[in-house]
Amino acid sequence: MQVDTAIIGAGAAGMMCAAHAGGRVLVVDHARAPGEKIRISGGGRCNFTNLHCTPDAFISQNPHFAKSALARYTQWDFIELVEAHGIAWHEKTLGQLFCDTSAKDIVAMLLRMMEAAKVQLFLQTTASNFAKNNGLFTFDLSTAGKTQHVTTRNLVIATGGKSIPKMGATGLAYDIARQFGVSVTDTRAGLVPFTFAEGRFAPISGVATPSKITAGDASFEEALLFTHRGLSGPAVLQASSYWHDNEPITVNLCPNTDIFAALREQRQISGRRNLTNVLAQHLPARLVDHLCGQFDLSGNLADWSDARLQTLTEALQNWVLYPSGTEGYRTAEVTLGGIDTKELSSKSMMSSAIPGLYFIGEAVDVTGWLGGYNFQWAWSSAMAAAHAISND
């Protein structure tokens, strides 16, 4: 089989690139269906981009790398595409955009675009034995026990990272990169819950509360969820991408309340009330009960001096915790690290050393925040490669 462009991976980036690359395009994926991560994302409604998508919402060893692709294909461009296909959408919080009906609408849109471009799609197919000779890439396809040899001018790797292996995620992109001498940065799970030893928060599993979580030099103010295994919720997932083993995180349980002023006021009005009962007006009651084991919350409000209340306020707003780890790739939404951006053109996503070899999407060392940023990177990086290929 001879094609102009072969794309390995029928996810968001791979299908978007295929629909716009032009010429004879082949897409290969080992899954039963295309766009499986799209289908399950956003609770089945696909958080397909974010209104506030800017380069500072992405993590990479080169923080400038994503700027070119994101600027040339923006969230507004993708919104225009979605609307042109009649897909209704809505904004939830913090600029997050979701389909009104189903994430399957995005998958169907991409498949229609690929069909219009006469793209060949091979599913439940593995690709192996990649090589480049005389300016052309070659590899073998295996489908239902049958093998075909493929020759192509352009090879695009869009197989994602290691996150959610039960969906079929592997490190194939990194293996292919290393085979061609392209370096790969260290990878780890991102946007992932924290774990704590000995079921530390199991007694309050299911309790959620507004919070501000700080890891490293990054802070995120969203919901915190206590689980049997540790901590989850949007604020935790965001902070996890900035956390490293053996480092602490800081939890602010009162990000939107002047708890010191509130407790002082209540002391004037209801000094005989137990402190825990008053705290339960500002925090979930089960969480207050749990905190009794962390801090001394005994006594009535009238017994608490300003100094003690200030110390308690500091403890509630700067609760230092040491996670034992994360839940890893099993539940991680993304993979941090990946194909070294030093090896790629930020304009085209092509390998600087190997003409015709492209890496796009999650496989690259560019990771966005929670909330549609990683899908936008998939669309933007795919379009960067597609434009380079179509103009070649």
Side-chain angles (χ1 to χ4, degrees):
M1 182 189 301
Q2 292 188 336
V3 296
D4 298 311
T5 301
I7 300 173
I8 312 301
M15 290 195 288
M16 188 70 168
C17 183
H20 295 90
R24 298 170 299 169
V25 179
L26 167 70
V27 177
V28 180
D29 200 297
H30 64 176
R32 291 178 176 272
E36 282 293 85
K37 277 195 176 181
I38 299 175
R39 182 182 60 79
I40 68 167
S41 67
R45 293 204 173 175
C46 187
N47 179 191
F48 56 80
T49 192
N50 194 292
L51 294 177
H52 310 305
C53 193
T54 55
D56 60 2
F58 293 84
I59 305 166
S60 174
Q61 287 193 0
N62 177 2
H64 302 291
F65 180 82
K67 290 180 176 178
S68 177
L70 291 171
R72 286 184 294 121
Y73 192 83
T74 69
Q75 60 268 42
W76 311 110
D77 293 315
F78 193 76
I79 292 168
E80 182 179 350
L81 177 65
V82 165
E83 292 181 338
H85 283 261
I87 300 174
W89 56 271
H90 61 278
E91 178 185 357
K92 273 195 173 180
T93 58
L94 303 174
Q96 301 170 16
L97 303 191
F98 291 78
C99 298
D100 279 0
T101 306
S102 170
K104 294 178 182 178
D105 292 342
I106 300 294
V107 177
M109 176 189 76
L110 293 169
L111 287 173
R112 285 194 302 270
M113 293 163 59
M114 288 169 58
E115 184 178 3
K118 295 182 171 54
V119 173
Q120 294 186 77
L121 175 60
F122 279 50
L123 297 172
Q124 294 183 272
T125 300
T126 58
S128 60
N129 300 324
F130 294 92
K132 187 178 185 184
N133 296 294
N134 301 319
L136 296 175
F137 294 93
T138 60
F139 61 94
D140 294 326
L141 290 184
S142 297
T143 308
K146 297 180 180 179
T147 301
Q148 294 187 70
H149 191 66
V150 180
T151 302
T152 180
R153 288 192 299 115
N154 302 297
L155 179 62
V156 182
I157 308 303
T159 56
K162 297 179 179 179
S163 55
I164 317 184
K166 69 179 180 182
M167 296 292 296
T170 67
L172 179 61
Y174 316 136
D175 296 338
I176 295 173
R178 295 187 184 100
Q179 180 182 337
F180 284 105
V182 177
S183 60
V184 179
T185 70
D186 291 339
T187 60
R188 58 191 176 89
L191 300 181
V192 63
F194 288 125
T195 56
F196 286 79
E198 299 173 355
R200 177 170 180 178
F201 298 113
I204 54 172
S205 176
V207 171
T209 188
S211 70
K212 184 177 181 180
I213 310 291
T214 300
D217 58 359
S219 297
F220 296 92
E221 189 173 323
E222 289 186 75
L224 160 67
L225 174 67
F226 295 92
T227 73
H228 283 285
R229 293 173 59 83
L231 300 179
S232 189
V236 168
L237 299 186
Q238 295 278 41
S240 72
S241 293
Y242 293 84
W243 179 80
H244 296 276
D245 287 348
N246 303 315
E247 290 183 351
I249 61 170
T250 303
V251 180
N252 181 347
L253 293 171
C254 308
N256 302 310
T257 303
D258 186 341
I259 194 68
F260 175 68
L263 292 175
R264 285 189 72 199
E265 181 181 351
Q266 284 293 314
R267 187 178 61 188
Q268 296 295 326
I269 301 170
S270 309
R272 293 183 179 180
R273 293 189 64 191
N274 191 285
L275 172 67
T276 55
N277 292 335
V278 178
L279 269 182
Q281 296 176 0
H282 304 281
L283 296 170
R286 288 175 61 200
L287 174 57
V288 173
D289 289 342
H290 179 80
L291 291 175
C292 288
Q294 309 293 315
F295 315 116
D296 179 10
L297 302 180
S298 61
N300 297 331
L301 262 179
D303 302 327
W304 283 68
S305 65
D306 280 359
R308 284 188 72 193
L309 288 179
Q310 194 64 62
T311 300
L312 174 61
T313 297
E314 177 68 18
L316 294 175
Q317 294 181 333
N318 291 280
W319 188 16
V320 178
L321 297 171
Y322 283 84
S324 57
T326 72
E327 292 193 4
Y329 293 118
R330 182 180 66 85
T331 60
E333 296 203 14
V334 292
T335 302
L336 291 152
I339 309 303
D340 196 333
T341 56
K342 294 177 182 178
E343 303 272 359
L344 306 178
S345 162
S346 62
K347 183 177 180 180
S348 67
M349 309 304 296
M350 185 174 75
S351 165
S352 302
I354 305 172
L357 179 61
Y358 299 79
F359 293 90
I360 60 176
E362 187 185 350
V364 180
D365 175 27
V366 174
T367 304
W369 289 351
L370 183 74
Y373 295 93
N374 288 292
F375 271 125
Q376 186 57 47
W377 171 245
W379 317 133
S380 297
S381 60
M383 291 300 285
H387 284 153
I389 291 168
S390 63
N391 293 325
D392 185 9

